[in-house]
Amino acid sequence: MTASMAFYADAGTTVRLNEYGTKSPPILTLDGRDHTLSVSSFGRIPVADQLAFAHALATTAADYVKALETYTAARADGDQKPDGQP
């Protein structure tokens, strides 16, 4: 199966973690105005694979934060609007 989607976060986007202890895998949810993205795994997937994915997600999310901070710092004029926007 192949899927592709774009999720554009704004000030109204929330991120939350639903934990179920040892009974079920956790669910990471991003809620936007008109859409929701949930990240979880099936219990039938080996735990090692679930952890590898979670570590890759965490590493990439940290890299995203660094890249966004670099992008923001480069905007010396203080304008926080996207490029080309009035």
Side-chain angles (χ1 to χ4, degrees), residues 1 7 12-13 24 27 32 45 67 84:
M1 179 175 94
F7 189 101
T13 302
S24 297
I27 300 172
I45 304 297

Side-chain angles (χ1 to χ4, degrees), residues 5-10 13 32-33 35:
M5 76 174 279
F7 189 101
Y8 297 98
D10 61 19
T13 302
R33 184 175 312 166
H35 50 281

Side-chain angles (χ1 to χ4, degrees), residues 1-38:
M1 179 175 94
T2 300
S4 177
M5 76 174 279
F7 189 101
Y8 297 98
D10 61 19
T13 302
T14 60
V15 179
R16 71 173 188 260
L17 175 64
N18 297 304
E19 295 182 79
Y20 306 100
T22 58
K23 296 181 185 204
S24 297
I27 300 172
L28 176 66
T29 305
L30 291 78
D31 285 312
R33 184 175 312 166
D34 298 321
H35 50 281
T36 298
L37 172 65
S38 296

